[in-house]
């Protein structure tokens, strides 16, 4: 992730402080996601981070779309 942040910062006026702050934010988000129940974690990762459609995620997880929507709340 640090490498990704550095690449994103290339050509930008981003400071070391900005990078450190971004890393802290990423770590906080990762901890928050890991603290969720598995069903919610899967839904958030697939829909939010992998940017799959809700329909695709429901099919992948073999759950009804309404269950997926509940898991995303």
């Amino acid at each position: 992730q640090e490498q990704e942040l550095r690449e994103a910062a290339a050509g930008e006026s981003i400071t070391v402080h900005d990078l450190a702050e971004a890393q802290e934010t990423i770590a906080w988000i990762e901890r928050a996601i890991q603290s969720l129940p598995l069903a919610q974690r899967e839904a958030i990762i697939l829909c939010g981070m992998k940017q799959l459609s809700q329909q695709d995620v429901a099919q992948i997880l073999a759950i009804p779309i309404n269950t997926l929507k509940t898991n995303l709340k």
Side-chain angles (χ1 to χ4, degrees):
Q1 291 171 346
E2 184 175 337
Q3 183 62 30
E4 290 175 9
L5 289 172
R6 289 184 190 281
E7 289 173 8
E12 306 271 337
S13 59
I14 296 177
T15 67
V16 172
H17 174 75
D18 293 334
L19 287 174
E21 191 172 284
Q23 286 177 318
E24 286 179 30
T25 301
I26 290 169
W28 181 86
I29 292 169
E30 287 175 342
R31 286 191 305 275
I33 291 171
Q34 289 302 316
S35 73
L36 295 171
L38 179 61
Q40 285 182 300
R41 193 167 55 235
E42 289 174 331
I44 288 172
I45 289 170
L46 293 173
C47 286
M49 299 172 78
K50 298 294 183 183
Q51 299 183 344
L52 298 175
S53 72
Q54 289 183 1
Q55 187 65 41
D56 288 344
V57 172
Q59 288 178 344
I60 290 168
L61 298 177
I63 59 175
I65 189 76
N66 288 333
T67 301
L68 175 68
K69 289 178 180 182
T70 298
N71 292 339
L72 289 170
K73 291 183 180 181

